[in-house]
Amino acid sequence: MSIEVRNVTRRFGSFAALEDVSLEVCTGELLALLGPSGSGKTTLLRVIAGLETVDSGQVLFHGEDATTQHVRERRVGFVFQHYALFRHLSIFENVAFGLRVRPRSRRPPEAEIRRRVHELLALVQLDWLADRYPHQLSGGQRQRIALARALAVEPRVLLLDEPFGALDAKVRQELRRWLRRLHDEMHITSVFVTHDQDEALEVSDRVVVMNEGRIQQVGTPQEVYDQPANAFVYRFLGNVNLFHGRVQEGRALIGGDSVAVPAHGDTPAGAALAFARPHDIEVLRPRAGAQGIAARVEHVLALGSLVRVDLRPDAGNEVIHAELSREDARGLALAAGERVLVRPREVRVFAA
Amino acid sequence: MTALALPSQPAAPAAGARRIDRATAEPAWVRLALIGLALAFLTTFLFVPLAAVFYEALRKGVVVYARAITEPDALAAVRLTLLAAAISVPLNLVFGVAAAWAIAKFEFRGKNVLVTLIDLPFSVSPVIAGLIYVLVFGLQGWLGETLRDHDLKVIFAVPGIVLATVFVTFPFVARELIPLMQAQGVEEEEAAVVLGARGWQVLWRVTLPNVKWGLLYGVILCNARAMGEFGAVSVVSGHIRGMTNTLPLHVEILYNEYQFAAAFAAASLLALLALVTLALKAWVERRFSH
């Protein structure tokens, strides 16, 4: 089942939640809608589900216009951020709900309902909880039940709103790997919303980065991380250092240093913003002839396998963050207050 | 005198001071005083009056009591009271649920006006409520002549009593449900619709089960008020014995005629009805809560 969103605009009063958004979701893929809060990602998900109306534009399921189709008829599975399990029904009845509300002609017989529900509960590995009630379950368990309930109606697409948002870090990690495996087994077209870039990059086939109601970039996790379309995408996908400088003849000039940017070979000379990830920052002991940005070590913090160093450049106020491997850090033996040279190994340049 | 006490060696309690057993508990005298105050209040304003009703009712003996409550006018009053409640409670149940559903689960223009309208019977004196109906449906009222031409009697008849009762008890169910439904949000309803449920199914299978205790409580309050309403009903009833007298009006008439035992007997019936409703509520809660 492919989904297509064409030029969708949705306003709430004067606030544009979605501004001329177009997107294609391919059959069987797992797509992440990634963006900060207020970027319109949840609205887009709800528009696809039919829970939100559009001011203009179209939603197509498998090439057919579904814009005016009722939620009920769209046959989507929706997993809500806070799960929205029916609190007065047992886990079994929660999962069975979608089958029980069918018109008599399409309702499976009781034995079939039982078989299906137990099958789904086994799929999410919670068969033993069938007789419990939602409030007796942990967050991770509720999440899996919500998924089982959504799958019970054999949806054509699966939509998940911040599926791991309310869980603690460890459960979240386990569950997203589990979701990825589940998707690999079932191959149901799925879209999930998240504000966590690690989650989006780890789980999805493709990522849609959104900001202020517009799509900024669509691509594989590798693409959006390595070739961000604009400054917003670059900054949103992980920590960054920002350098104000110039771009000239395929090189970025930053505070007395210059870094090759082959992609900008033809860009006319002018002011530019250069971004570098903390792990692309090199820290050197000053010696004669060495080039780099002169800076002073402000803070050294060992974090597991990494050592994070905060550096204050002599010119400018913005602290430069560097992440060094343990060996590099040991070799340098940095201490706060020492003078060093900083060199970005790789930068991405966007016009200022 | 030591100014400092080490944390590991708490200072010995001063002579006469009682040790506080738990960090969160108040001293014993505070607890006793508060409990005593609450009990005294309850006794004065609840238990004693309730007991007085039954005591006064039975003071002249069981025979007088039995005669007072089996006399035709008393029975007619009981019947009318039950009838008014039996009509107005289901009506308000339906209207209340509908209004609360609309207000809590949907956004629409004029919602605040609707909320204010629902509160109106609370803010208006019951006597005025009765008077409104007299002005509209009474012989000299707006619709008086039309009604007379069609041989319909509203004021000084059962329909007027039911109308007044419905008006006065209107907010009970809706007011009980609105905050509860608002707190629960619409996510479960949305989940139900996505799973294919129709509007009625959402109401029956999700919304109502989630508010059943609030609904039950609203119905109990509504019923209590419907059976006990005096002011509004008094204005529209006309106090025709055996015809348009409800139980509270019957109590008043007897009392004004110095038939104290009979008045208290009728009052005890009202009190009994209230106690039965409460017992019923307790039983339902115990029976159906898991």
Side-chain angles (χ1 to χ4, degrees):
Chain A
M1 249 305 284
S2 63
I3 309 168
E4 198 185 337
V5 176
R6 273 192 204 155
N7 309 101
V8 162
T9 294
R10 175 71 170 121
R11 290 199 174 79
F12 297 105
S14 61
F15 173 72
L18 293 175
E19 189 78 61
D20 195 24
V21 167
S22 296
L23 174 69
E24 228 172 304
V25 189
C26 310
T27 306
E29 81 171 329
L30 179 52
L31 186 94
L33 298 178
L34 174 67
S37 54
S39 60
K41 53 193 193 304
T42 296
T43 308
L44 180 55
L45 192 78
R46 289 172 63 88
V47 162
I48 294 173
L51 289 168
E52 202 70 70
T53 54
V54 298
D55 294 334
S56 64
Q58 278 183 305
V59 178
L60 292 91
F61 279 14
H62 213 82
E64 278 172 45
D65 189 0
T67 317
T68 55
Q69 200 175 30
H70 194 276
V71 192
R72 203 162 35 235
E73 272 106 49
R74 292 199 191 189
R75 284 185 50 211
V76 298
F78 200 102
V79 177
F80 289 82
Q81 187 177 1
H82 301 289
Y83 325 128
L85 295 179
F86 305 125
R87 65 196 93 182
H88 65 288
L89 294 179
S90 68
I91 296 309
F92 181 93
E93 287 302 327
N94 261 281
V95 179
F97 187 91
L99 300 173
R100 292 207 192 283
V101 296
R102 284 192 182 167
R104 197 159 306 219
S105 55
R106 291 199 295 115
R107 194 184 310 156
E110 184 61 30
E112 170 69 8
I113 292 180
R114 298 203 148 266
R115 194 187 62 74
R116 287 265 283 281
V117 171
H118 281 298
E119 206 176 270
L120 282 160
L121 287 175
L123 178 75
V124 298
Q125 298 153 15
L126 292 174
D127 211 6
W128 50 287
L129 289 176
D131 296 328
R132 303 274 184 89
Y133 282 84
H135 68 267
Q136 297 168 309
L137 269 54
S138 72
Q141 291 170 337
R142 282 183 215 181
Q143 178 61 267
R144 276 141 73 189
I145 296 301
L147 193 63
R149 183 179 68 175
L151 291 172
V153 293
E154 293 172 330
R156 300 185 293 177
V157 298
L158 187 61
L159 308 171
L160 306 107
D161 186 6
E162 297 270 3
F164 316 113
L167 302 169
D168 60 63
K170 191 155 180 301
V171 178
R172 189 193 294 213
Q173 284 251 332
E174 282 170 18
L175 216 58
R176 68 196 197 197
R177 284 188 192 138
W178 176 81
L179 178 74
R180 180 67 238 190
R181 283 202 306 277
L182 190 75
H183 182 266
D184 290 343
E185 278 167 33
M186 308 208 321
H187 282 297
I188 177 171
T189 310
S190 310
V191 181
F192 77 100
V193 157
T194 180
H195 61 265
D196 181 336
Q197 67 273 14
D198 291 342
E199 202 167 288
L201 297 178
E202 182 181 332
V203 177
S204 63
D205 294 321
R206 285 198 305 153
V207 181
V208 176
V209 185
M210 296 188 66
N211 189 37
E212 293 178 340
R214 291 174 190 274
I215 290 178
Q216 305 293 321
Q217 188 175 8
V218 184
T220 64
Q222 193 83 44
E223 280 166 9
V224 293
Y225 192 81
D226 291 341
Q227 292 138 41
N230 57 35
F232 172 81
V233 175
Y234 196 94
R235 300 183 92 150
F236 195 70
L237 294 176
N239 297 321
V240 289
N241 293 297
L242 167 64
F243 302 100
H244 295 273
R246 288 178 61 76
V247 64
Q248 199 176 318
E249 290 160 3
R251 297 193 76 79
L253 310 179
I254 314 156
D257 191 17
S258 84
V259 188
V261 273
H264 284 265
D266 303 329
T267 311
L273 294 177
F275 293 91
R277 300 268 181 225
H279 56 73
D280 282 330
I281 298 279
E282 202 177 350
V283 180
L284 306 165
R285 289 276 179 196
R287 59 190 138 74
Q291 283 206 330
I293 304 163
R296 183 185 295 279
V297 176
E298 243 187 16
H299 200 70
V300 182
L301 182 64
L303 278 172
S305 59
L306 292 170
V307 178
R308 187 175 293 168
V309 185
D310 291 351
L311 304 141
R312 184 166 298 278
D314 293 351
N317 280 322
E318 273 197 61
V319 174
I320 300 170
H321 301 281
E323 275 171 16
L324 308 179
S325 70
R326 260 182 184 254
E327 295 92 76
D328 289 353
R330 205 175 294 136
L332 282 164
L334 294 173
E338 288 182 309
R339 300 202 54 82
V340 289
L341 287 178
V342 176
R343 296 204 60 186
R345 268 187 289 260
E346 205 183 316
V347 294
R348 288 206 67 88
V349 173
F350 301 99
Chain B
M1 248 184 94
T2 49
L4 289 167
L6 289 172
S8 55
Q9 296 171 317
R18 295 276 306 270
R19 213 171 62 82
I20 299 171
D21 350 0
R22 280 194 297 129
T24 53
E26 296 294 333
W29 69 268
V30 176
R31 280 181 278 165
L32 283 177
L34 285 174
I35 293 170
L37 203 66
L39 282 180
F41 188 86
L42 284 177
T43 311
T44 322
F45 291 99
L46 276 176
F47 300 144
V48 171
L50 195 60
V53 169
F54 289 99
Y55 174 79
E56 287 292 333
L58 290 163
R59 198 154 72 146
K60 295 207 173 140
V62 181
V63 182
V64 176
Y65 181 83
R67 206 187 309 136
I69 61 171
T70 51
E71 141 209 32
D73 285 353
L75 285 180
V78 171
R79 266 199 302 276
L80 185 57
T81 300
L82 291 178
L83 178 72
I87 295 173
S88 55
V89 172
L91 278 180
N92 278 332
L93 178 68
V94 174
F95 292 149
V97 168
W101 202 37
I103 287 166
K105 309 282 180 182
F106 299 93
E107 287 302 322
F108 55 90
R109 215 180 280 236
K111 191 157 139 176
N112 287 334
V113 178
L114 182 59
V115 174
T116 314
L117 276 178
I118 289 174
D119 279 340
L120 192 68
F122 271 166
S123 45
V124 166
S125 153
V127 176
I128 308 220
L131 209 57
I132 294 167
Y133 285 109
V134 172
L135 290 174
V136 176
F137 298 110
L139 215 47
Q140 269 75 44
W142 290 358
L143 300 175
E145 283 185 26
T146 324
L147 287 172
R148 194 189 51 195
D149 293 346
H150 291 85
D151 213 17
L152 292 170
K153 219 164 153 30
V154 174
I155 299 304
F156 307 141
V158 177
I161 291 171
V162 172
L163 275 177
T165 310
V166 170
F167 180 88
V168 172
T169 56
F170 190 82
F172 284 95
V173 174
R175 265 286 147 211
E176 199 63 45
L177 293 185
I178 290 168
L180 189 60
M181 284 186 174
Q182 277 174 335
Q184 290 178 349
V186 296
E187 265 206 343
E188 284 185 47
E189 278 83 1
E190 285 184 342
V193 175
V194 173
L195 288 168
R198 258 141 257 278
W200 277 112
Q201 289 176 317
V202 176
L203 181 69
W204 280 112
R205 288 172 178 261
V206 178
T207 309
L208 285 183
N210 272 342
V211 297
K212 59 183 175 213
W213 299 122
L215 187 61
L216 177 68
Y217 196 60
V219 167
I220 303 258
L221 286 179
C222 180
N223 183 57
R225 182 67 190 266
M227 293 194 300
E229 173 53 25
F230 181 85
V233 170
S234 173
V235 177
V236 295
S237 121
H239 306 264
I240 308 164
R241 278 198 196 193
M243 301 277 291
T244 62
N245 242 3
T246 62
L247 212 38
L249 302 181
H250 189 62
V251 172
E252 193 216 13
I253 290 181
L254 291 174
Y255 192 82
N256 286 347
E257 290 171 350
Y258 303 103
Q259 303 187 42
F260 297 130
F264 276 107
S268 77
L269 280 185
L270 267 179
L272 269 180
L273 282 175
L275 291 177
V276 167
T277 340
L278 286 179
L280 210 62
K281 170 182 172 260
W283 179 78
V284 170
E285 271 179 357
R286 189 190 297 240
R287 176 81 177 66
F288 293 101
S289 63
H290 41 250

